[in-house]
Amino acid sequence: MEGVDRAREQVQERLDRLTAGEQSPRVNQETVVTTGDQYRAAIDRSLEGVFRIRVAITNDAGEVLVTPGDDGMGLPCGETDPGEPIDTAARRIARGQAGIDCRPREAVEATIRGIRNEDEPGSDAVYRLSVVYAADAVDPDAASENHRWEPTHAVDAPL
């Protein structure tokens, strides 16, 4: 399937850029099975060069900012815009979700997610990239009141 092959190339290009620096992020792989609609949406998002990003923002005390989400409190997260640099996306997501400015440092974890179509068990997996990006808070006191700072050991994310 041409879309699946191009999506794989997009993920590999982004991953190559992430791992080209001196400090390469830890890379994980996982496989999930979704409905046909979610599978096709994953192809479309991957072809657009869009991937998921979580921002691990720390303050001077070494605490991590967590925000409310669908699954409880977690790192600010969102998707890159097509072709958007990761550090730009990290700043945008931090500002939009937590009302805080940050100084992005580096990608600390990348997960390659193989997505399979449950409606067509023999179909090829489409690949999506998810990145955890470490950043420093510019003004930790500016965080929105429904967000809070947690000790790093209480947060399920690499820092």
Side-chain angles (χ1 to χ4, degrees):
M1 175 186 271
E2 185 177 324
V4 169
D5 291 339
R6 181 63 191 133
R8 184 177 298 130
E9 290 171 12
Q10 289 277 67
V11 167
Q12 188 61 55
E13 288 169 12
R14 282 287 194 155
L15 187 59
D16 288 347
R17 279 186 262 163
L18 284 174
T19 58
E22 289 181 26
Q23 295 184 347
S24 186
R26 181 177 67 196
V27 179
N28 304 306
Q29 290 184 292
E30 63 182 32
T31 301
V32 296
V33 179
T34 65
T35 65
D37 289 341
Q38 291 173 329
Y39 177 79
R40 284 182 285 287
I43 292 172
D44 292 343
R45 299 305 281 163
S46 189
L47 288 173
E48 293 169 357
V50 171
F51 63 94
R52 191 145 185 77
I53 183 170
R54 294 188 303 154
V55 187
I57 305 166
T58 54
N59 62 17
D60 292 338
E63 299 167 314
V64 180
L65 184 69
V66 293
T67 63
D70 294 340
D71 298 327
M73 298 298 281
L75 298 178
C77 66
E79 290 187 332
T80 61
D81 290 332
E84 181 181 32
I86 297 172
D87 58 340
T88 302
R91 283 192 288 275
R92 176 178 52 78
I93 290 166
R95 166 64 49 204
Q97 288 194 8
I100 191 169
D101 289 322
C102 69
R103 282 185 300 277
R105 288 192 318 258
E106 64 187 346
V108 292
E109 181 178 77
T111 301
I112 303 165
R113 182 168 292 120
I115 302 171
R116 297 208 171 269
N117 185 350
E118 72 181 3
D119 299 335
E120 297 177 30
S123 63
D124 291 332
V126 63
Y127 294 94
R128 294 290 316 272
L129 187 60
S130 177
V131 175
V132 177
Y133 210 84
D136 297 315
V138 172
D139 180 7
D141 296 330
S144 303
E145 62 184 58
N146 60 340
H147 301 77
R148 66 179 183 252
W149 295 97
E150 293 282 343
T152 56
H153 69 274
V155 178
D156 183 28
L159 305 173

